[in-house]
Amino acid sequence: MSDIKHCLNILRRTPPSDVVDNLERLIAVRPELDEELCQRVDTPLQIVCKKEFKCFILEKDTKTGKQFITCDYNRDGDSYRSPWSNEYFPSIEDGDECLRPSENLRKLELEANEVFDHYRHAYFEGGVSSVYMWDLDAGFAACFCIQKG
């Protein structure tokens, strides 16, 4: 059995409420499996804040002061892109190599974030919303996230 299958078997046998902690522990033991485990294991949406190891707790985009949701769609390595400032947290040394939407798509992403922020406020009365967009060969894709407060 491959190492990734062993890790997935371990995660299947642990409580779903502990998936983030157990995933972090497995990655600490087998860091070379980080990318594949993060792609295969569903974790709850999280709001980015202060980084302690790989655990994220409430924090704000230091450039705009707004919170954002972390997920696979705004992740590049161990950093997450804020939809508000287009910056990665923690910052990536080679910022030019980061994944970012094209200029026109970025404008649309900003507008969508404003619209969803109003929607979230009106219908959820709190929480955090984030919209992420990225370019495809033929068009674009988007991810719309809302986490209730």
Side-chain angles (χ1 to χ4, degrees):
M1 205 181 241
S2 73
D3 291 342
I4 194 74
K5 286 185 180 178
H6 289 298
C7 290
L8 294 173
N9 280 336
I10 290 169
L11 290 171
R12 272 190 218 102
R13 289 170 173 76
T14 59
S17 60
D18 298 336
V19 70
V20 173
D21 292 334
N22 291 328
L23 180 61
E24 288 174 1
R25 290 179 184 119
L26 286 171
I27 291 170
V29 173
R30 298 298 307 270
E32 70 277 6
L33 299 177
D34 181 16
E35 287 294 320
E36 192 166 358
L37 281 171
C38 287
Q39 288 175 5
R40 290 181 174 217
V41 177
D42 291 328
T43 57
L45 295 176
Q46 300 176 47
I47 301 170
V48 124
C49 268
K50 190 179 282 183
K51 185 175 181 187
E52 297 173 10
F53 303 103
K54 289 192 174 197
C55 178
F56 294 92
I57 327 160
L58 283 176
E59 183 186 312
K60 296 179 180 178
D61 175 329
T62 55
K63 196 169 183 180
T64 65
K66 293 187 175 186
Q67 295 175 328
F68 62 95
I69 296 172
T70 64
C71 61
D72 286 340
Y73 300 105
N74 67 327
R75 181 174 178 261
D76 192 349
D78 290 335
S79 297
Y80 295 89
R81 184 176 66 85
S82 166
W84 303 108
S85 66
N86 209 25
E87 299 293 323
Y88 278 87
F89 295 92
S91 62
I92 297 177
E93 290 178 20
D94 192 8
D96 295 337
E97 296 294 319
C98 299
L99 300 172
R100 289 191 169 88
S102 63
E103 188 176 328
N104 287 337
L105 194 55
R106 176 69 183 139
K107 289 177 187 174
L108 183 61
E109 182 182 69
L110 284 170
E111 289 178 30
N113 272 290
E114 289 297 328
V115 168
F116 261 73
D117 195 42
H118 291 294
Y119 174 83
R120 174 207 47 85
H121 181 69
Y123 289 94
F124 293 92
E125 298 175 354
V128 177
S129 64
S130 297
V131 177
Y132 302 105
M133 296 185 178
W134 59 97
D135 295 284
L136 299 174
D137 292 336
F140 71 95
C143 172
F144 298 82
C145 306
I146 294 179
Q147 182 163 3
K148 294 173 19 175

